[in-house]
Amino acid sequence: MAVQTFDIARLTTHAVPVVPETFIAVSGMGPKDDSNGSGKTSFLIAVSLLLADPQWRLESNHGRDASGILFKPDAAGVDRAQQIPAASHGYVVGVFAHDRPDASGGREALAASGPLQGALTVWVRIAASAPYVLANWTEGIHVADAADDAERAAQADTLWQELGSASRLSAHRMADALYGNAPRCLTYLDTPLRPAVPSLLSQQMTAMEPHDIGEALIALSGMTHLLEQEAARRGKALEHAAQLEKARDEHALALADEEAVLEGVRARAAARTALEEGRHAWRRYLAACYLEAAQADRKLAADLEDKEQQVVQAQELLDGAEEKLRELTAATDLAAAAAAARQEWVDAKQVTEQAATQRTSAATRRDIIRQSMAPLRPSAGVWRGSPVADARSALEAAREVLYVARQQKADADSALSRAQRLEEAARQGRSGAAGQALEILDGHGVSAAGLMDQLQLEESVRAQWEARLWPWRDAVVVPWGQAERAREILRGLPGAQVVAADPADGTGSGGGALPQGVRSGRALAGFFGTLQKRTTALDDPPAAYDAGLSLAVVGGFQAPIAGRDARVAQAVAHRRRCEDEVSTAAEGLAAAESEFEVAEIEHKAAVAARDLAALEEQASALDEAIAEADDKATAARSAEDERHDAWEQAQNALTAHAQAVTTAKLTRDAADKTYKERAKQRTALSKARAEVSCPQWQRLWGAPAEEAAELLRATAPGTPAPRPGRLRRNVEDHLRNAYEHYGLPAGAVTGVVDEDLLLAQHLRDAFEEEEASALPRTGFDEVAAPLQIRLDGHSDKDAVEAARIASGRLLREEALAKLTRAAERSGHTLQALQDMIEHHVEGLLAQISDAFNALDRQRGGDGARLDYTSVRPEGARPWRWQVTPRWKRSPRGAFVHYRENANGAQVKVHAIQMVLAAVLADAETRGRVLILDELGNSLGEVNRKDMLAALRDVARRQHLTILGTCQDSVLVDAADVCDELLWFVHASSSDAYNQPTRTWGHDSDGKRVELTADWITAGRSHA
């Protein structure tokens, strides 16, 4: 509502009122009796800082550039003799009013709507040193209102300190905290204080690239944050891709290193396998030798086994007799048995009492549960039998169907928009690939038309001519004299087809009249004559045949392919099909929403039914517990009677106990005598068996003879039983192979100092010299021990290395898979986000283009449009939106490129129209501020008035505050349409500061005026 500045350039400390949601003209008078040097741009810079204009980049440079606006004597042109110091800091203060519903009924309605909901004051401190920019705010009006400049300047520091530090904001946080993530203020200022940016509102628009125009329009519409969000997401996707590539390279290097380690592990594993095979061959050798010696021992072994069974049986009889005697001896205390029976009866009575207590507790809990079941019955009553999991799945499925239906509706809307654009192109004669060539030629002033667009074929000749013309459907027709220039212009459009019309003097290769039934808007008799000579019309099927090329083009088109009306009809039919698809998608969306609501109700009912069933199950369990307690009481009473009977039986058994003990002792003595006799016989058999000459082989073999026979029978059918000599040679071969795998062939240890390897060589030599049939002096394990010790020493390390390598490979492969999934997810997420942003921005640019055209026609123009293309980014490069403004210079003329033979006034008009179109396309402009510097320069009188009126109308319609600086030539026209005029005066170059700012304006909201009236008039002598 108002702005106050302290030590900002030459501006005075008097408050300047602002009428919100209007067009405000800003002008004044400088020392040379014109508006230059009056301080109007300094004021606009202060307002842009107050509203955190994004172009200041406060979040990155912390407001360093803004410090240049502070008062400097040299920049103000003050004589050094006055000794006025430069300002070390200054303030920009703004008072805001809380919004309230719009009152469209005039002053009476505004008055009736009640007072405003208070005010809010924002202070921005600008300093020459860090921190360069700080902000603070408070409810109410917190401003300097002293009587003169000096007192107000002194009052400013005190007011800033009174705000405290609790709500103080840094330059980085200022914009988001005060105004949100959408820009509150957008400016185009001609100032060296911040990096220059090509402006849509200056003569620089012709120097702007199409992507600069696209970026500016997106910023004006408040959509820049979408592109920033996409850039952040794309950065994450690139990071994931880089991590994946690095992991793949590291995995390849690790595999090479690990393979070298595994070679040694495999060699030692082969040595272990050879040792194991040698040990197995040694076992077969021992088995063969043992079977030869054990054959004579077999009968004694069978006799000894029989005797052993007899000893076992005698032992079992003796153990049974002793156990019986111990049982009878222990069962002598019948009094203790009777006491135990009585105690059991007492215990049974306690069980009865406990059962009664349990029954009471269970009955109480059952009643509580039945009370909890009542609230669940209404919801469970509508349950249709679906389990909770199925109901939840159905709910999720309905949600997914709803999402798909919404997506289908959005896709149908998008297809309809494209069909509408195709229809518009057909109506303008720009359909097909010829349209692009026509746009380029029109932009270079070449009069051209689409060949098929300007032709008309009567129905009787369609079959004859449509097949002939089909290869040339994308051709354009240009005058005879401009054909060469047209081909040069279309150099950048490979595949373009250019047909030169007949020359006006009839000297061309054609001449004559068009074929019967063919009408053309251009002179094409030569083209048609040559085409008719080169091709022959065939009837069944319809076709055009070129004998020179051996080429046939099949005809028989269902709908006419020539003539604008035919093409428009096809485009209209396509657009109507798209409209039908939009209607179908809308019906599908409504059905999906209904199904989702039903699924929610069913899910709630299923949950209630599940909980009710659980409670019913608990109640049933408690009923069973009550019945079980009753059964326990009955059983306890029966047990008491049984224990009494047991006591009587114990008394009767006491008499017979002594006789039973005597009988058990006699039985035990007889069993002991039998056992001793059989044990003596077993000892005699063992001694006889020891005299058989096979114990040495048995010890070497270490297992039963059956296993030896089985081991030797484990050969291929028909193979003779192996002899000990051949088996001995197999052992020696395996032992030799094991040492060779380890890298120690026979005789290779000469000169080696390792004692274990020298011992291994000596043992191997002695082992090979022994006879196969003699008892071995050296065992296999003894000969293999040195190598086995070394292999065992490597075993854990080899296992660890193999496990480490396997684990490392698994972890790396899992990491690679995880990184691959992360990269794919990032790519998919980025693609979805880009699709959403592209769809959104394309819709926005389409709205801006429509508004651009409407504004141009409202001011009496012939139409304007925006051609736009999305250039999706590759890598870390920014997303480019190529936006090319075009407008007509005459009602029947083509759309002209914004750089094509443009004059300054025309560019200025359309640049302003684009800015206003961007504002009109944005539905969230209420409360925003647009600052335009050097407004209306280079415009003719009519254009200037139209643009100023458009600024006023857009400001009112969009509830947007527009401040525009006006030079002297523009001021008169601006005063006629603006709702407020701000007049800045710097009377003399010797004055350090401006005079009080003058304002003329009207605010229909009287309450809003009264809110700041005392402050605005403070310190003004005429107030």
Side-chain angles (χ1 to χ4, degrees):
M1 292 175 54
V3 178
Q4 188 174 28
T5 59
F6 301 90
D7 282 325
I8 301 299
R10 294 187 300 265
L11 299 177
T12 177
T13 61
H14 292 85
V16 178
V18 175
V19 179
E21 302 178 352
T22 61
F23 168 47
I24 301 172
V26 182
S27 190
M29 180 177 294
K32 297 181 180 181
D33 295 332
D34 59 15
S35 62
N36 293 321
S38 62
K40 57 185 185 298
T41 299
S42 298
F43 176 76
L44 295 183
I45 292 174
V47 173
S48 70
L49 278 171
L50 173 67
L51 299 178
D53 171 23
Q55 205 168 330
W56 285 107
R57 303 186 185 279
L58 298 176
E59 72 284 354
S60 59
N61 62 25
H62 306 288
R64 180 190 296 271
D65 296 339
S67 62
I69 198 177
L70 293 173
F71 174 78
K72 297 180 180 62
D74 294 339
V78 177
D79 189 350
R80 295 186 177 181
Q82 298 185 35
Q83 297 183 348
I84 299 178
S88 62
H89 66 278
Y91 302 97
V92 180
V93 183
V95 172
F96 299 80
H98 288 294
D99 198 6
R100 65 178 183 179
D102 183 27
S104 58
R107 180 174 300 180
E108 294 77 7
L110 284 170
S113 65
L116 290 169
Q117 301 298 315
L120 182 146
T121 305
V122 173
W123 281 67
V124 178
R125 185 182 187 272
I126 302 98
S129 59
Y132 298 101
V133 173
L134 292 173
N136 211 331
W137 63 275
T138 185
E139 296 285 351
I141 298 180
H142 187 76
V143 296
D145 55 1
D148 57 42
D149 274 343
E151 293 178 355
R152 286 193 295 272
Q155 191 180 4
D157 287 330
T158 301
L159 291 172
W160 169 261
Q161 295 298 328
E162 290 176 354
L163 292 174
S165 59
S167 58
R168 188 170 296 177
L169 302 169
S170 65
H172 180 76
R173 297 179 53 238
M174 170 182 170
D176 284 346
L178 292 176
Y179 308 117
N181 56 10
R184 179 66 177 270
C185 173
L186 294 170
T187 66
Y188 290 97
L189 293 172
D190 185 12
T191 174
L193 294 182
R194 62 189 188 187
V197 176
S199 169
L200 289 176
L201 299 172
S202 69
Q203 296 295 344
Q204 299 175 7
M205 190 183 77
T206 56
M208 295 175 69
E209 296 295 330
H211 66 81
D212 293 327
I213 296 176
E215 182 178 354
L217 291 177
I218 291 173
L220 279 168
S221 303
M223 294 294 108
T224 303
H225 67 282
L226 291 179
L227 299 184
E228 293 174 349
Q229 181 182 358
E230 184 275 339
R233 175 60 64 181
R234 179 155 37 90
K236 292 182 179 179
L238 291 174
E239 181 181 353
H240 286 157
Q243 291 174 350
L244 176 59
E245 187 64 25
K246 180 181 178 182
R248 285 173 175 169
D249 294 341
E250 292 175 348
H251 181 56
L253 293 175
L255 285 177
D257 295 338
E258 291 167 353
E259 193 60 30
V261 175
L262 288 176
E263 284 295 329
V265 173
R266 294 190 190 101
R268 288 186 289 274
R272 292 189 190 95
T273 301
L275 282 183
E276 188 60 32
E277 291 175 350
R279 189 172 286 107
H280 180 69
W282 177 253
R283 291 285 294 168
R284 286 169 58 81
Y285 165 70
L286 293 180
C289 294
Y290 170 61
L291 287 178
E292 287 182 352
Q295 186 174 4
D297 192 36
R298 188 172 295 113
K299 186 178 184 306
L300 288 175
D303 295 338
L304 182 61
E305 183 178 357
D306 292 338
K307 188 57 66 179
E308 192 69 44
Q309 291 178 356
Q310 293 176 8
V311 172
V312 170
Q313 292 173 357
Q315 182 69 52
E316 290 175 352
L317 292 174
L318 177 59
D319 292 341
E322 290 180 344
E323 179 64 24
K324 181 65 175 179
L325 181 60
R326 284 195 295 272
E327 289 177 357
L328 291 173
T329 303
T332 58
D333 193 356
L334 296 179
R342 186 181 186 285
Q343 183 62 43
E344 289 177 357
W345 171 77
V346 173
D347 292 341
K349 185 175 181 180
Q350 291 178 352
V351 169
T352 302
E353 294 174 353
Q354 290 175 357
T357 302
Q358 291 176 357
R359 184 188 189 286
T360 302
S361 176
T364 302
R365 283 184 289 153
R366 180 191 60 187
D367 294 339
I368 293 173
I369 289 174
R370 286 177 177 174
Q371 291 176 359
S372 302
M373 292 164 59
L376 297 175
R377 297 188 187 278
S379 295
V382 299
W383 182 47
R384 296 187 297 182
S386 298
V388 175
D390 293 348
R392 186 184 299 110
S393 299
L395 179 61
E396 293 301 324
R399 183 179 285 108
E400 181 66 21
V401 170
L402 179 59
Y403 171 81
V404 172
R406 288 172 176 168
Q407 187 64 37
Q408 291 175 345
K409 178 62 168 58
D411 293 342
D413 291 339
S414 177
L416 178 58
S417 298
R418 291 193 298 271
Q420 290 170 343
R421 291 196 295 270
L422 292 175
E423 180 183 349
E424 180 63 22
R427 294 183 184 280
Q428 295 177 2
R430 295 288 192 265
S431 61
Q436 188 176 2
L438 290 174
E439 290 289 343
I440 296 174
L441 292 174
D442 289 348
H444 288 78
V446 176
S447 175
L451 173 63
M452 303 300 286
D453 187 69
Q454 54 87 43
L455 286 178
Q456 293 291 333
L457 299 178
E458 294 181 2
E459 187 65 29
S460 60
V461 300
R462 278 184 56 210
Q464 178 183 359
W465 280 103
E466 284 183 336
R468 287 170 167 167
L469 290 169
W470 180 251
W472 319 106
R473 61 188 180 279
D474 294 325
V476 296
V477 181
V478 300
W480 175 271
Q482 294 184 326
E484 183 63 30
R485 180 167 177 255
R487 289 193 292 273
E488 182 65 27
I489 292 172
L490 295 177
R491 178 193 300 270
L493 187 63
Q497 298 174 327
V498 181
V499 177
D502 298 340
D505 57 4
T507 61
S509 61
L514 292 169
Q516 185 176 1
V518 178
R519 295 192 299 276
S520 173
R522 299 292 178 101
L524 295 174
F527 173 80
F528 276 92
T530 301
L531 188 60
Q532 189 171 20
K533 291 177 182 179
R534 288 186 58 179
T535 57
T536 302
L538 305 179
D539 294 331
D540 191 15
Y545 180 69
D546 187 334
L549 295 176
S550 295
L551 170 69
V553 179
V554 179
F557 298 95
Q558 296 297 324
I561 65 172
R564 181 173 301 183
D565 292 342
R567 295 192 166 204
V568 169
Q570 294 174 7
V572 168
H574 176 59
R575 186 253 302 160
R576 288 175 178 170
R577 288 193 298 272
C578 292
E579 288 174 345
D580 293 339
E581 292 175 358
V582 169
S583 177
T584 302
E587 293 175 357
L589 177 59
E593 290 172 343
S594 299
E595 291 177 1
F596 180 75
E597 182 178 356
V598 171
E600 282 187 317
I601 295 174
E602 178 61 22
H603 178 257
K604 181 179 179 182
V607 172
R610 179 197 62 190
D611 295 343
L612 184 61
L615 292 175
E616 288 175 348
E617 184 177 352
Q618 294 177 17
S620 177
L622 290 172
D623 288 335
E624 294 177 357
I626 292 171
E628 183 179 356
D630 292 338
D631 293 339
K632 284 183 178 181
T634 302
R637 285 190 292 270
S638 299
E640 181 181 1
D641 296 334
E642 292 175 0
R643 298 300 179 270
H644 184 268
D645 294 339
W647 174 74
E648 291 180 345
Q649 293 174 1
Q651 292 292 335
N652 294 332
L654 182 59
T655 305
H657 179 262
Q659 183 64 37
V661 171
T662 301
T663 302
K665 287 181 178 179
L666 294 174
T667 302
R668 190 269 316 271
D669 294 339
D672 181 64
K673 181 179 180 181
T674 302
Y675 170 75
K676 289 179 179 178
E677 291 177 351
R678 292 180 180 179
K680 183 178 180 180
Q681 294 171 358
R682 178 187 62 184
T683 303
L685 285 174
S686 297
K687 183 177 180 181
R689 188 180 182 190
E691 296 175 357
V692 178
S693 59
C694 69
Q696 294 86 345
W697 289 111
Q698 184 180 16
R699 286 194 297 271
L700 289 174
W701 167 242
E706 291 80 1
E707 292 186 14
E710 183 66 27
L711 178 62
L712 293 176
R713 283 197 300 270
T715 57
T719 303
R723 302 302 299 167
R726 184 163 61 88
L727 292 175
R728 175 80 180 205
R729 287 191 295 273
N730 287 341
V731 174
E732 295 170 357
D733 291 341
H734 288 306
L735 186 62
R736 189 181 307 109
N737 291 336
Y739 274 94
E740 288 177 353
H741 281 302
Y742 190 74
L744 297 172
V749 296
T750 303
V752 177
V753 297
D754 292 348
E755 294 182 1
D756 60 333
L757 297 181
L758 289 174
L759 176 61
Q761 183 63 51
H762 296 321
L763 290 174
R764 288 165 61 189
D765 294 341
F767 186 78
E768 292 176 357
E769 292 175 357
E770 292 181 0
E771 291 293 334
S773 60
L775 284 172
R777 296 187 300 273
T778 304
F780 177 86
D781 289 336
E782 185 178 358
V783 178
L787 178 58
Q788 187 69 57
I789 291 172
R790 289 204 168 211
L791 291 176
D792 291 344
H794 285 281
S795 178
D796 291 342
K797 182 179 179 181
D798 287 347
V800 169
E801 286 294 333
R804 177 187 64 80
I805 291 173
S807 176
R809 289 181 177 180
L810 179 61
L811 290 176
R812 292 197 303 273
E813 290 169 357
E814 291 176 350
L816 280 173
K818 183 177 181 181
L819 289 173
T820 301
R821 292 192 297 272
E824 290 175 351
R825 285 196 300 270
S826 294
H828 294 161
T829 302
L830 176 63
Q831 180 69 31
L833 178 63
Q834 288 178 336
D835 291 343
M836 181 274 292
I837 293 175
E838 190 169 64
H839 177 73
H840 190 74
V841 175
E842 282 181 348
L844 172 67
L845 293 176
Q847 294 178 7
I848 296 176
S849 181
D850 294 341
F852 185 31
N853 182 61
L855 287 172
D856 189 66
R857 292 188 179 278
Q858 287 174 8
R859 73 173 185 86
D862 297 309
R865 77 178 189 212
L866 299 179
D867 293 343
Y868 46 87
T869 303
S870 169
V871 182
R872 289 200 180 187
E874 295 181 1
R877 287 181 291 184
W879 195 337
R880 299 293 193 187
W881 284 88
Q882 306 282 357
V883 178
T884 304
R886 299 179 185 272
W887 52 81
K888 288 185 177 182
R889 295 182 180 178
S890 63
R892 296 183 179 274
F895 284 92
V896 179
H897 193 277
Y898 72 102
R899 288 177 172 172
E900 182 68 22
N901 298 326
N903 60 67
Q906 195 174 62
V907 172
K908 190 78 171 183
V909 168
H910 287 94
I912 295 175
Q913 285 182 169
M914 274 197 295
V915 173
L916 296 181
V919 173
L920 289 171
D922 189 358
E924 302 294 335
T925 57
R926 186 180 185 92
R928 293 189 188 173
V929 176
L930 182 62
I931 297 177
L932 312 176
D933 205 3
E934 305 301 334
L935 182 64
N937 289 354
S938 304
L939 296 180
E941 181 179 359
V942 175
N943 286 336
R944 183 167 61 242
K945 289 183 177 180
D946 290 342
M947 287 301 97
L948 293 172
L951 290 171
R952 175 200 60 198
D953 295 340
V954 170
R956 292 176 178 176
R957 171 181 168 183
Q958 297 296 110
H959 303 286
L960 175 73
T961 304
I962 302 178
L963 291 93
T965 60
C966 302
Q967 297 288 3
D968 302 333
S969 60
V970 183
L971 182 60
V972 175
D973 293 329
D976 290 339
V977 297
C978 69
D979 291 306
E980 182 180 10
L981 172 63
L982 301 181
W983 186 261
F984 294 84
V985 178
H986 184 218
S988 172
S989 58
S990 61
D991 292 341
Y993 298 100
N994 273 15
Q995 295 181 4
T997 305
R998 301 179 184 179
T999 62
W1000 291 268
H1002 173 73
D1003 190 346
S1004 58
D1005 190 342
K1007 299 295 184 181
R1008 194 159 57 194
V1009 175
E1010 293 172 1
L1011 191 63
T1012 59
D1014 293 341
W1015 173 42
I1016 296 299
T1017 58
R1020 298 179 184 267
S1021 59
H1022 61 279

